[in-house]
Amino acid sequence: MADPTTTATVTTTAAAAVPVGAADTATGPKTMDAGKWANKRVYLRLVIYTAGIHVFAGFIMLLFELGNRNR
């Protein structure tokens, strides 16, 4: 996959120089994460991380409760 930040050009003739990676669209190359699928992945990751943090916090609270019983 070509790096879109490079400034290398491919010349087929002396009159036409096309930047590498810019042939997909007028504004630049298409990316794998463009569109609504990327947003869905971000929201799914957010839900998973939030649930994981709550489970971890619950485990820490359980440890404090169990440690408090030994007093």
Side-chain angles (χ1 to χ4, degrees):
M1 199 170 193
D3 184 16
T5 60
T6 59
T7 57
T9 57
V10 176
T11 56
T12 55
T13 63
V18 178
V20 173
D24 292 339
T25 62
T27 58
K30 295 179 185 177
T31 62
M32 296 295 291
D33 291 337
K36 62 182 179 180
W37 292 107
N39 292 337
K40 286 184 181 181
R41 284 194 300 261
V42 168
Y43 292 134
L44 178 64
R45 195 176 305 138
L46 178 68
V47 168
I48 291 171
Y49 287 166
T50 302
I53 289 171
H54 279 87
V55 167
F56 180 71
F59 177 70
I60 297 297
M61 290 173 64
L62 176 68
L63 289 179
F64 276 105
E65 287 294 324
L66 292 175
N68 198 18
R69 289 185 183 179
N70 290 332
R71 287 175 128 188

